[in-house]
Amino acid sequence: MEDDELRVDHLRLSEDDVDGFSEPVVRLWWDKEFVGQVYWDGDEVVVQIHSDDDGEPFDLSLGPFARALVEAEQIVNPNWEDELDIVDDPSSDEDELEETTRLVSEFDSRAVHRSDGGEGYFDKSTSLEFIDRCDELRLGVTTVEGFDYQGRTLKSRPSLIAQFKPNTASSEWANIAADLNDQAREVVSRWSDRDTLVVAFVVMEPTGESFIA
């Protein structure tokens, strides 16, 4: 995978500078098939989806597709951080990589399953601990998605997906992260305690950048 590519489950994102566009264009691929692109048209983020080689529409799992669009929006939207109204944490520039690395390393071995692209899936109990740890590290959960994992197979649960934006009026990152995590904790706490339930996360750093856990 190239340095400017990101994989979200089977979806692959590539970032390109294209003549006529003021911001990078993100192209979406399903393995080697071109799915579409995301770009900034000067006023808003636009998603353009193409048909497959046979002229048929792509059938995409909602969860990975939604997470891919979140990642793409951060790349192409020049106002992403402004819309979140985040005040930069002066300590974040040096510490964010360390804190993110710490979170990932602490929970890496606790994933019930990891996709080929490296995305982790955690049982409910571990997921709640994961959210608590995000609180401690000043990281904010922006997306949670639930699946059933049985027989080494993931089954998407379209009703178990939630994306969060800050409800707090504060522009301080610590308060924004805490608010995001409170929302995520409330949602995951309501989900079933069945043994097959696993949860995937998208997490935001103090600068507004996100990563898949």
Side-chain angles (χ1 to χ4, degrees):
M1 188 165 57
E2 300 295 334
D3 291 341
D4 61 348
E5 292 183 350
L6 172 71
R7 183 174 287 275
V8 181
D9 203 0
H10 289 288
L11 278 169
R12 179 167 55 88
L13 283 65
S14 63
E15 177 184 345
D16 299 288
D17 292 321
V18 179
D19 289 342
F21 291 87
S22 60
E23 301 296 329
V25 172
V26 172
R27 293 191 167 96
L28 308 175
W29 306 82
W30 182 266
D31 291 329
K32 295 183 179 180
E33 289 192 84
F34 179 61
V35 174
Q37 58 189 12
V38 181
Y39 61 89
W40 177 255
D41 72 353
D43 296 308
E44 61 183 355
V45 176
V46 175
V47 181
Q48 187 179 77
I49 302 299
H50 293 237
S51 301
D52 65 17
D53 293 340
D54 297 322
E56 298 294 328
F58 282 96
D59 293 323
L60 301 173
S61 176
L62 176 62
F65 184 56
R67 291 193 294 276
L69 292 182
V70 170
E71 296 288 345
E73 182 180 9
Q74 292 182 53
I75 295 171
V76 306
N77 186 353
N79 304 317
W80 171 261
E81 291 186 29
D82 293 339
E83 290 177 2
L84 290 176
D85 197 25
I86 294 173
V87 172
D88 282 341
D89 183 336
S91 66
S92 68
D93 290 342
E94 294 181 358
D95 296 341
E96 67 180 12
L97 182 59
E98 176 185 345
E99 302 307 309
T100 298
T101 301
R102 186 181 305 173
L103 176 73
V104 172
S105 63
E106 288 178 8
F107 284 86
D108 181 59
S109 63
R110 301 182 65 182
V112 174
H113 171 70
R114 283 202 177 274
S115 69
D116 293 340
E119 182 175 14
Y121 300 83
F122 305 89
D123 63 38
K124 181 177 178 179
S125 176
T126 303
S127 294
L128 292 171
E129 291 182 42
F130 182 95
I131 297 169
D132 289 342
R133 188 60 172 137
C134 284
D135 256 348
E136 296 170 356
L137 296 173
R138 294 184 303 179
L139 300 168
V141 174
T142 57
T143 303
V144 293
E145 184 180 7
F147 298 79
D148 276 313
Y149 182 66
Q150 198 166 15
R152 301 185 64 82
T153 300
L154 278 174
K155 184 174 183 180
S156 180
R157 295 298 183 188
S159 62
L160 300 183
I161 182 170
Q163 294 177 292
F164 313 110
K165 285 196 173 182
N167 288 327
T168 177
S170 173
S171 59
E172 295 296 328
W173 169 249
N175 295 330
I176 291 173
D179 180 67
L180 292 170
N181 294 331
D182 284 345
Q183 294 178 64
R185 188 180 296 108
E186 180 180 356
V187 168
V188 174
S189 295
R190 292 200 306 262
W191 287 352
S192 170
D193 292 325
R194 63 181 179 271
D195 293 339
T196 57
L197 176 70
V198 292
V199 182
F201 294 92
V202 177
V203 180
M204 183 179 289
E205 298 172 328
T207 58
E209 296 294 324
S210 293
F211 64 92
I212 298 170

